[in-house]
């Protein structure tokens, strides 16, 4: 802890931070922020425009407290505890500190608190600490705060941040190796944040970034389907009513693609309202009918479970692809280590493609990818109402464990969101 404190002070000397010294005067260096919301907000937003915080003042900010949902072990939802922790300081010149007004609960959050991706995330944390100049081998894995996306208000910016200012209403994502957004404050790279459209509220904005960037990655990066090619394309989407699925539906329909979305019967109206043809995947004839008709350029599976039968619905020998959003890569590395996990994953992809490529079809994995340009494009689509947030349920921040359990139960109709204003 002493080494971390000295390193934080050293980094603040290297990277001055544009924010208000009088925050500590308004709140008190050890006072809990959530107890005085109006006074600290006024102090922060007004005086950040006037002066830079000196190193000793930056250290004082690190003593300010906030509430955060954390786990001290991979114990699942039962291990989540709401505690008082330090507000994270800005240690990198391109970072921002955001007061969180809402954050969504993604399936990845429920997996991470059970240890999913722990091996890779610890490697990424180590690299991040080296970037901050921290050379000790303590990976600081726990306590762990989950949460990958958020919406809120900028309260502080690093010295090199030019695109954002204090008091900006923003939404964005947090890199998986960082402490997450299920807290009252979060730090993230400014490139992972953009201005919130004026026509949506914080809860709606928080529901979009992680799911939308995952959808963008599946369609544009892995699927190589562009807006220009979309009107000539036919896409089959499994899991159309989930958080990622509802975004893919709107993205492709706004580009003019022909989309068939599979969901359960109680979600048919929702999926239809997103501009696609909706079919009940539980109907015994649905799969056989789609395979018999065929003619799909792209099959995207956003259900979390592979169903390779649908590969037969792709056009043969046309460069068509089956894309899954639940690759086993991180699970393999968790169970086998880096080298063996990578080898097993590569072998699985090759085996899957051995048969499909012989029929002129490809099997691919898609992942969430940070993409500042895509995030800004999605913000424009939200502003123009070409896509809209689809929220299943909003929970108060104090009921985060119930929100996690709701996501784990499955069959979501859009996104589950935590609101810090409720």
């Amino acid at each position: 802890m002493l080494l971390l404190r000295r390193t934080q002070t050293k980094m603040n000397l290297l990277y001055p931070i544009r924010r208000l010294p009088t925050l500590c005067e308004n709140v008190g260096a050890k006072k809990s922020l959530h107890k005085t919301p109006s006074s600290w907000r006024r102090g922060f937003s007004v005086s950040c425009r006037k002066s830079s915080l000196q190193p000793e003042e930056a250290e004082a900010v690190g003593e300010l407290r906030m509430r955060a949902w954390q786990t001290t072990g991979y114990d699942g939802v039962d291990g989540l505890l709401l505690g008082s922790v330090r507000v994270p300081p800005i240690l990198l010149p391109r970072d921002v500190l955001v007061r969180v007004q809402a954050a969504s609960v993604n399936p990845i959050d429920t997996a991470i608190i059970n240890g999913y991706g722990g091996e890779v995330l610890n490697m990424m944390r180590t690299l991040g600490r080296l970037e901050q100049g921290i050379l000790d081998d303590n990976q600081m894995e726990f306590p762990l705060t989950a949460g990958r996306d958020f919406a809120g208000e900028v309260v502080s910016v690093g010295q090199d941040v030019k695109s954002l200012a204090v008091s900006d209403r923003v939404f964005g994502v947090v890199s998986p190796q960082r402490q997450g957004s299920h807290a009252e404050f979060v730090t993230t790279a400014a490139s992972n944040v953009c201005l919130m459209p004026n026509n949506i509220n914080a809860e709606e904005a928080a529901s979009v970034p992680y799911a939308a960037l995952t959808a963008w990655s599946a369609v544009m990066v892995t699927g190589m389907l562009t807006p220009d090619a979309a009107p000539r394309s036919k896409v089959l989407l499994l899991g159309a009513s989930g958080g990622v699925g509802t975004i893919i539906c709107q993205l492709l329909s706004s580009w003019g693609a022909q989309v068939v979305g599979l969901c359960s019967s109680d979600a048919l109206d929702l999926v239809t309202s997103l501009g696609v043809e909706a079919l009940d995947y539980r109907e015994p004839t649905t799969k056989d009918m789609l395979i018999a008709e065929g003619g799909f350029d792209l099959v995207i599976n956003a259900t979390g479970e592979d169903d390779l039968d649908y590969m037969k619905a792709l056009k043969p020998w046309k460069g068509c692809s089956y894309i899954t959003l639940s690759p086993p890569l991180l699970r393999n590395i968790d169970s086998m280590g880096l080298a063996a996990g990578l080898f097993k994953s590569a072998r699985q992809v090759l085996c899957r493609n051995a048969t499909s490529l012989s029929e002129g079809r490809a099997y691919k994995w898609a992942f969430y990818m940070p993409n500042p340009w895509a995030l800004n494009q999605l913000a424009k689509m939200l502003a123009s109402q070409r896509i809209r947030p689809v929220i299943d349920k909003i929970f108060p921040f104090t009921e985060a464990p119930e929100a996690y359990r709701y996501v784990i139960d499955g069959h979501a109709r859009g996104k589950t969101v935590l609101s810090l204003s409720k």
Side-chain angles (χ1 to χ4, degrees), residues 58-136:
E59 186 171 351
V61 168
E63 294 297 331
L64 292 168
R65 312 299 289 183
M66 68 175 184
R67 293 178 300 168
W69 283 100
Q70 294 189 322
T71 180
T72 56
Y74 294 129
D75 303 319
V77 178
D78 292 337
L80 287 174
L81 295 172
L82 181 60
S84 175
V85 302
R86 292 196 303 172
V87 173
I90 291 180
L91 298 179
L92 296 174
R94 294 183 179 86
D95 279 2
V96 295
L97 176 67
V98 177
R99 172 184 173 267
V100 178
Q101 296 170 342
S104 72
V105 181
N106 295 284
I108 187 68
D109 300 317
T110 66
I112 284 177
I113 62 173
N114 283 289
Y116 174 76
E119 289 292 322
V120 171
L121 293 180
N122 277 335
M123 295 179 208
M124 296 173 68
R125 291 183 187 112
T126 299
L127 293 174
R129 288 167 64 79
L130 289 174
E131 183 183 7
Q132 296 171 10
I134 302 173
L135 303 180
D136 67 333

Side-chain angles (χ1 to χ4, degrees), residues 148 176 344:
R148 302 273 61 87
K344 180 179 180 179

Side-chain angles (χ1 to χ4, degrees), residues 20 22 26 36-48 153:
L20 176 67
T22 57
N26 290 337
T36 56
S38 58
S39 62
W40 66 258
R41 187 189 308 118
R42 285 194 299 270
F44 228 167
S45 60
V46 173
S47 54
C48 269
E153 179 185 349

